[in-house]
Amino acid sequence: VQQAEKLKEYYRAYDKVICVSENVRDSFLNMMGCDADAIVLYNVIDEVEILTKAEAFAVDRTDAVNIVAEGRLTNQKGFDRLIEACALLKRDSCLFSLKILGEGPERNKLESLIVQYGLVQYVELMGFQENPYPYIAAADLYVQPSRFEGYPLSILEALILGKPVVSTDNGGAGEILQPEVTGLLCPISSEGIAETIERLLSHPETLEQLRKNVRSRDPDEENRAAIRQLEEYL
């Protein structure tokens, strides 16, 4: 309680607080009270840089549906649940290959789960990648299994690279994805993740339609809107 009160003193010294999403703003106002002055300004992302880096090298693909996920290997990111979901997909004879990009304190736990569920031929921990974009560009589907997120930029990056997204309904993802248009939101559970991925694996026409929808987006307009909003505030 004392720490929260101290934080309130600091924040009230500012003219305005900018939050990266409505989800973050709601959490901030819940902590500060309704008298706080907080606005939402979505991150501006460099589309050209991402597309350029995505062509830096080629990534091998499998004959199955290629899935990629990215993030620090921590409890928040939910990779344990994604691996459990993969066990369910394997049980249902789904053909897929998953690459997880990132490093972190849960690596040993995740490696053990991969062995426990017999997923060595299905799931690969790629470690930290200075340039993750070629891996995302080579995938058929991006998955975000997080338990909670403020505003997951990795989803935006996947969309820029033309990839449909399956994400848990973790707070921030719902402000980026258009459900059933650019991706699918699912419950924050192994079963929810598995069922949603399996829906796309079983209906490739749905996956292809999502891909077409993603590629019709205009991220430049999203950036311009954020810049205009920042200029207004300034």
Side-chain angles (χ1 to χ4, degrees), residues 61-68 82-100 114 117-124 140-141 143 194 197-198 200-202:
R61 287 173 46 86
T62 70
D63 293 332
V65 174
N66 292 261
I67 303 172
V68 69
L82 178 55
I83 291 171
E84 291 169 356
C86 287
L88 298 175
L89 294 173
K90 177 191 173 188
R91 180 199 65 187
D92 293 342
S93 301
C94 294
L95 298 177
F96 68 94
S97 173
L98 169 65
K99 287 182 172 65
I100 298 176
I114 290 171
Y117 291 119
L119 294 169
V120 174
Q121 302 300 319
Y122 293 81
V123 180
E124 185 175 4
D140 300 302
L141 177 67
V143 177
I197 294 176
E198 186 166 356
L200 294 179
L201 298 185
S202 303

Side-chain angles (χ1 to χ4, degrees), residues 41-42 44 220 222-232:
L41 181 64
Y42 294 120
V44 174
D220 277 347
E222 296 172 8
N223 281 340
R224 288 191 292 270
I227 291 170
R228 287 195 299 269
Q229 188 179 8
L230 178 59
E231 289 174 341
E232 290 174 5

Side-chain angles (χ1 to χ4, degrees), residues 43-97:
N43 286 302
V44 174
I45 194 163
D46 191 337
E47 178 191 6
V48 173
E49 180 182 20
I50 290 172
L51 292 172
T52 300
K53 286 185 174 181
E55 298 178 352
F57 55 86
V59 174
D60 292 336
R61 287 173 46 86
T62 70
D63 293 332
V65 174
N66 292 261
I67 303 172
V68 69
E70 177 193 10
R72 185 160 164 75
L73 306 185
T74 62
N75 179 262
Q76 175 202 344
K77 296 300 182 180
F79 293 123
D80 54 332
R81 286 180 172 168
L82 178 55
I83 291 171
E84 291 169 356
C86 287
L88 298 175
L89 294 173
K90 177 191 173 188
R91 180 199 65 187
D92 293 342
S93 301
C94 294
L95 298 177
F96 68 94
S97 173

